[in-house]
Amino acid sequence: MRIFRIQVIVAVLFLAVSSVACSSDDNGKETPQTISRAANVTAISGPATGKVGVDVNYDVSFIVDNACGEFDRIGSTSIGKEEGFQIEAKYPIGTCANQTPTALHTLYTFSPQSKGTFEIKFRKSETEFLVKKLVIE
């Protein structure tokens, strides 16, 4: 009798948890209004030297496809066996009134934790990176 009661309690708890876990996560949320695509970097401006533990800031220039594009985030990418970063730009879904490509800027911060020579690489095109060398003393 005791085992039967425990089984009933476990079954009721399982059903209660299942009904909560299966609830709709949508809750009337709208569909995304933007899409994200990689943007090509045209220039990296910043110092060539730095010190351990001191942040080094770089101004990264990139081109978006049209005037409606804007900075979204910095992501990682690879070209062949080389690893680097890429700028991702977001665009509204639908048409953009001004289709002229636009140059934008963003800030990239490198936080060196050790001495050495580092290469800051951003995707310039489908086949190559734009590279900025940094010596940390």
Side-chain angles (χ1 to χ4, degrees), residues 114-125:
S114 62
K115 291 182 179 183
T117 301
F118 299 89
E119 289 186 337
I120 311 298
K121 298 179 187 179
F122 278 90
R123 192 183 96 151
K124 179 179 179 179
S125 69

Side-chain angles (χ1 to χ4, degrees), residues 16-35:
V17 170
S18 297
S19 66
V20 171
C22 292
S23 68
S24 174
D25 291 335
D26 191 19
N27 294 335
K29 290 182 184 174
E30 294 182 21
T31 57
Q33 298 299 314
T34 60
I35 56 172

Side-chain angles (χ1 to χ4, degrees), residues 34-108:
T34 60
I35 56 172
S36 191
R37 290 192 300 254
N40 293 330
V41 170
T42 57
I44 305 171
S45 304
T49 61
K51 295 185 184 280
V52 174
V54 178
D55 288 350
V56 181
N57 294 319
Y58 290 97
D59 180 59
V60 181
S61 302
F62 60 99
I63 300 278
V64 292
D65 296 343
N66 56 47
C68 295
E70 58 186 51
F71 174 78
D72 187 18
R73 63 189 175 108
I74 296 175
S76 60
T77 190
S78 61
I79 298 174
K81 293 182 181 180
E82 287 188 75
E83 298 289 323
F85 300 106
Q86 73 181 9
I87 299 292
E88 294 182 24
K90 62 182 175 181
Y91 301 89
I93 294 176
T95 59
C96 179
N98 187 348
Q99 292 295 319
T100 306
T102 306
L104 299 176
H105 300 269
T106 192
L107 183 68
Y108 172 72

